Amino acid sequence: FYGPPGTGKTTLARLLATETKSRFRQISAVASGVKQLREILDEAHDELATGGQKTLLFVDEIHRFNRAQQDVLLPDVEDGVAILVGATTSNPSFAVNSSLISRSRIFQFEPLEPSQIKALIWRALADEERGLGRYEVTMDDDALDFLAEVCDGDARRALSALEIGVLSSTERPVVYSRRLAEESVQRKALEYD
C-alpha cells in the first residue's frame, strides 16, 4: 500500500486479515529488525504447518527496511507462509526491492476528500464506544469545514484535532467552534514540534 499518512493503509490491512480469516501480525520497519521479522515468520510457518490460520504480515514503513532485510521476506512470501502487506509513503518502485515488487500488487492511496473527512468526524462524534459519542458536542459548520481542509486528506490528523479539542475543552456541552478547531490543530502541531 503506497500513499500519504492517514489514508487507511493499516485499517485496510486489518480488514483484509479479518476477511481472509488470517492472523494479523504487525511490525514496524522503523523499530524492528531481522530478528523480530524471523520470529514472526517462524511463528507463521509453525501455525500453518499445524493446520492453523494463514498469517497476514503487515510491515509498516516497509521502505525503511534495507535490501537485505527485505530479502528475508522473499522465501516465505513465495511459499505462501505469510501474506505480505507493506505500507509506505515512499514510491515503492524506488524504496522496495524489485524481487518483492515483482511478487506484489501496488495499491496507491490518495488523500481523503474533505467530504470523507467530514463523514469520519461525524462518525467519531456519534460513536460512544470508540469515538467521542459519550460527550455532548455541538459542531459548528465553520469548524467542520476548517478541519476537513486543514488536515490535507489525513484522517488521523483530523480525528486527533477533534479529540484534542473535545477533551481539552472546559465547557460542557462542548461547542466545537472554528476557534477551538484552530487551537486544536495548533496544539497538535506543537506536540510534534
Side-chain angles (χ1 to χ4, degrees):
F1 295 162
Y2 162 49
T7 55
K9 296 182 294 292
T10 305
T11 300
L12 185 56
R14 287 182 184 278
L15 288 170
L16 283 171
T18 300
E19 289 300 312
T20 60
K21 296 177 178 39
S22 300
R23 294 173 338 119
F24 183 81
R25 295 294 180 263
Q26 181 173 351
I27 191 170
S28 170
V30 174
S32 304
V34 170
K35 181 182 178 204
Q36 294 89 350
L37 194 55
R38 287 193 194 277
E39 287 171 0
I40 291 172
L41 292 171
D42 288 344
E43 179 186 295
H45 188 272
D46 292 345
E47 176 73 14
L48 200 57
T50 59
Q53 294 175 294
K54 272 199 163 194
T55 298
L56 186 142
L57 172 58
F58 179 69
V59 181
D60 198 15
E61 306 289 340
I62 194 168
H63 65 278
R64 297 289 188 107
F65 275 155
N66 64 35
R67 302 290 178 185
Q69 290 170 311
Q70 292 177 28
D71 284 342
V72 169
L73 295 162
L74 285 173
D76 292 314
V77 169
E78 267 189 352
D79 293 342
V81 170
I83 301 165
L84 174 65
V85 177
T88 181
T89 55
S90 299
N91 185 334
S93 298
F94 300 109
V96 178
N97 75 31
S98 58
S99 300
L100 277 178
I101 293 286
S102 72
R103 292 162 177 83
S104 304
R105 288 194 180 116
I106 297 173
F107 296 93
Q108 186 169 352
F109 289 57
E110 299 295 332
L112 299 178
E113 296 294 324
S115 61
Q116 295 168 317
I117 297 291
K118 289 177 184 180
L120 287 171
I121 289 171
W122 284 121
R123 271 191 232 140
L125 288 171
D127 189 331
E128 292 184 20
E129 184 181 327
R130 295 172 298 164
L132 299 165
R134 62 185 169 275
Y135 300 94
E136 190 177 340
V137 179
T138 302
M139 174 64 71
D140 288 354
D141 289 341
D142 194 32
L144 183 64
D145 292 340
F146 174 78
L147 283 179
E149 289 298 328
V150 78
C151 73
D152 294 325
D154 183 333
R156 190 178 307 113
R157 186 171 178 208
L159 292 172
S160 293
L162 177 67
E163 183 179 37
I164 287 169
V166 170
L167 298 181
S168 66
S169 178
T170 56
E171 62 182 49
R172 295 290 184 254
V174 177
V175 176
Y176 205 98
S177 63
R178 166 77 182 240
R179 188 176 140 272
L180 182 56
E182 289 172 352
E183 289 175 5
S184 300
V185 170
Q186 183 178 7
R187 285 188 200 146
K188 183 178 183 343
L190 291 174
E191 274 183 16
Y192 289 101
D193 195 1

